[in-house]
Amino acid sequence: MENGGENVNALDEQRPGVEAEALADVPALTLEEVRKTYRVGDSEVVALDRADLTLGRDEIIALVGPSGSGKTTLCSIAGGILSPTSGRVVVSGKDISDYSPRQLTDFRRESVGFVFQTVNLIPFLTARENLLVVDEIGRRDRKRAAARADQLLDELGLSDRASNLPSELSGGQKQRVAIGRALMNEPALVMFDEPTSALDTKLGEQTVGLIRDEMKSRGTAAIIVTHDDRITRYADRTVRITDGRLDS
């Protein structure tokens, strides 16, 4: 399995023309017996307990469960924010289970996208600049980054809002900017943390519909963390987690 991952990575770096073909049958995410524990005094707290999960290349899952059930921990491990205590984590053919903090930083910048519950746009940057900051961190070609940002803003219906600050945008427009920012690095996997929590029912459904359309049009996998069962119908399947355990 390890050699296979290395071969995929080699294709990714050396033969970009066949990247899509090489990765076509590789899951976007594979968790195998993933466990995350913490020490609290003399006790061990289990945040995630032997999780097994496979997510297809363009699959969207809704991850549901009560507060404290392990949803955030699972997404943090899948996105390279946390390392597992044990088990195996493979994202788009890359086994990140034993990555160093530096490797995880590079991995997050290049391979995953995040849309947080509070959106977290930089208030003093315009919509376009909020997208461009992703590539500035990655030190990529500025012209290519600018073209990518303009393309995403256009596809998300925000071309006429490119120069607006977040304070000049509606709640739905801010969410679309956040989605665009998450897509700037052309990720294999995007994590959405309660994307409808601050929106009314109608706008919430519009937002999740937009997420589904954008992910499917790009063949990008997504995990949507939610407490709202009404939006699970936009996902390909629903995965429930309770006390750190995924329901089989």
Side-chain angles (χ1 to χ4, degrees), residues 100-227:
S100 68
R102 176 68 178 272
Q103 287 174 309
L104 287 175
T105 297
D106 291 341
F107 163 77
R108 289 193 302 271
R109 185 174 63 232
E110 297 168 1
S111 301
V112 295
F114 296 91
V115 179
F116 298 103
Q117 182 175 346
T118 55
V119 180
N120 288 338
L121 298 181
I122 300 173
F124 54 83
L125 296 182
T126 66
R128 186 172 188 265
E129 289 167 343
N130 264 281
L131 269 63
L132 287 173
V133 74
V134 175
D135 267 65
E136 288 176 5
I137 293 172
R139 299 181 298 278
R140 299 180 183 180
D141 179 80
R142 290 187 177 183
K143 289 185 178 180
R144 183 169 174 266
R148 173 73 173 159
D150 290 339
Q151 175 192 4
L152 286 169
L153 290 170
D154 181 58
E155 291 175 357
L156 292 165
L158 291 168
S159 292
D160 61 341
R161 293 288 185 267
S163 298
N164 286 88
L165 296 172
S167 60
E168 300 169 324
L169 301 174
S170 68
Q173 289 168 341
K174 290 177 185 177
Q175 278 285 1
R176 281 184 277 168
V177 173
I179 293 170
R181 183 176 60 185
L183 293 170
M184 272 294 290
N185 60 353
E186 301 180 67
L189 175 65
V190 181
M191 255 75 67
F192 295 88
D193 182 17
E194 296 283 359
T196 64
S197 62
L199 306 175
D200 61 35
T201 299
K202 182 177 180 180
L203 188 53
E205 291 194 352
Q206 290 176 351
T207 297
V208 181
L210 175 66
I211 289 171
R212 179 177 176 83
D213 290 345
E214 292 298 325
M215 297 302 105
K216 290 298 183 181
S217 68
R218 291 171 169 80
T220 301
I223 298 175
I224 304 175
V225 173
T226 183
H227 286 93

Side-chain angles (χ1 to χ4, degrees), residues 18-96:
V18 296
E19 177 183 352
E21 181 180 350
L23 294 175
D25 297 324
V26 178
L29 172 67
T30 302
L31 303 181
E32 296 178 355
E33 291 284 303
V34 172
R35 203 163 187 265
K36 183 65 177 179
T37 62
Y38 299 95
R39 298 300 304 182
V40 179
D42 295 329
S43 301
E44 181 183 69
V45 176
V46 179
L48 196 62
D49 193 7
R50 303 187 187 283
D52 289 306
L53 179 67
T54 299
L55 185 62
R57 300 267 335 148
D58 65 347
E59 187 177 15
I60 299 172
I61 68 168
L63 182 62
V64 302
S67 297
S69 59
K71 300 187 300 295
T72 299
T73 299
L74 187 150
C75 287
S76 296
I77 289 174
I81 294 175
L82 294 176
S83 295
T85 302
S86 62
R88 192 161 177 262
V89 182
V90 183
V91 180
S92 194
K94 299 176 182 178
D95 190 335
I96 68 169

